Amino acid sequence: ELLGTAYLFTPPPPEAAVTRVVETIRESAAPARTDTWSLMMRARAGGGVAGFAGPSILIGGELGVERHLVEGLGARLFVDARGGPLDSGSPIHPVQAVFVSPGLGAAYLWRFGPLRLGPAIDLRATWTTLQVQSTPTATQTFSLWSFRADVGPELRVTLGDRVELLASAALGVSPLRKTLTLESTGETLLATPFLACDAALGVVVELF
């Protein structure tokens, strides 16, 4: 009778192993965070694929912030700045270019263990300034505002609790272009591309 009363009013404590299992299930059932902010840093390079003339390969870097919206989906704001081209083109009329591009984008990434892979799209305004050596003693500068849409795959590899390695490739379409032509000969020194390719490598660091 005493033993029955003891169990009625004071149930025996659960085993430690059972407690650990319960905690594990509770943690795995908790919803994933969808309100995180991250810092993105990428080295970028790209050049013309179609609708261009002369040198076109520019290299530089990008800095941006990303917001995790829902599982797999993130949106971002960024500024991309590059210089070049790597090949100055004509030795008589060399060209220098600066490319600055603020924009916004989104990526939807599926998880495969430590990897995340999926499509990304970036919409950007582009400002390009071109400086050409028109004569041995004079240079001319030309500028162009345009816009560009980039689409391509993005891959991320988990490096730690808050850090991912990022690699991406894309094709970008720019409907507005600039063409530089010598009046004396009609030679086209440079034309900015209608279709460009792009590659990037960098890191994403979760801030909070």
Side-chain angles (χ1 to χ4, degrees):
E1 183 179 354
L2 291 176
L3 184 61
T5 303
Y7 274 97
L8 178 63
F9 293 101
T10 308
E15 294 291 337
V18 175
T19 302
R20 286 196 298 270
V21 171
V22 171
E23 290 298 325
T24 301
I25 294 174
R26 181 181 292 115
E27 291 174 1
S28 62
R33 289 185 60 190
T34 58
D35 58 351
T36 57
W37 287 90
S38 299
L39 177 67
M40 301 180 64
M41 297 171 286
R42 291 195 272 186
R44 306 198 70 127
V49 173
F52 75 102
S56 66
I57 298 177
L58 304 177
I59 60 173
E62 176 190 292
L63 185 64
V65 291
E66 182 179 63
R67 172 80 167 181
H68 185 199
L69 301 177
V70 296
E71 185 62 29
L73 177 64
R76 57 205 183 199
L77 296 172
F78 60 87
V79 176
D80 178 4
R82 309 183 205 183
L86 296 185
D87 174 10
S88 60
S90 169
I92 302 175
H93 304 286
V95 176
Q96 292 182 325
V98 174
F99 171 90
V100 179
S101 176
L104 55 88
Y108 192 92
L109 307 176
W110 290 277
R111 181 171 292 281
F112 304 94
L115 307 180
R116 294 203 294 152
L117 177 65
I121 180 170
D122 291 328
L123 303 176
R124 57 176 79 204
T126 63
W127 178 75
T128 306
T129 180
L130 304 169
Q131 188 177 72
V132 57
Q133 186 85 33
S134 54
T135 70
T137 58
T139 60
Q140 291 180 275
T141 301
F142 307 87
S143 296
L144 169 69
W145 276 102
S146 182
F147 63 91
R148 182 169 133 178
D150 292 7
V151 179
E154 185 168 298
L155 171 68
R156 301 192 189 185
V157 181
T158 300
L159 299 180
D161 291 340
R162 293 179 174 267
V163 182
E164 291 180 310
L165 177 68
L166 182 155
S168 64
L171 287 176
V173 177
S174 298
L176 303 178
R177 303 164 55 238
K178 174 71 75 174
T179 300
L180 302 183
T181 304
L182 283 176
E183 291 185 356
S184 58
T185 63
E187 176 190 0
T188 298
L189 296 179
L190 184 141
T192 58
F194 169 75
L195 181 65
C197 62
D198 208 80
L201 182 66
V203 294
V204 180
V205 181
E206 183 181 313
L207 299 176
F208 51 84

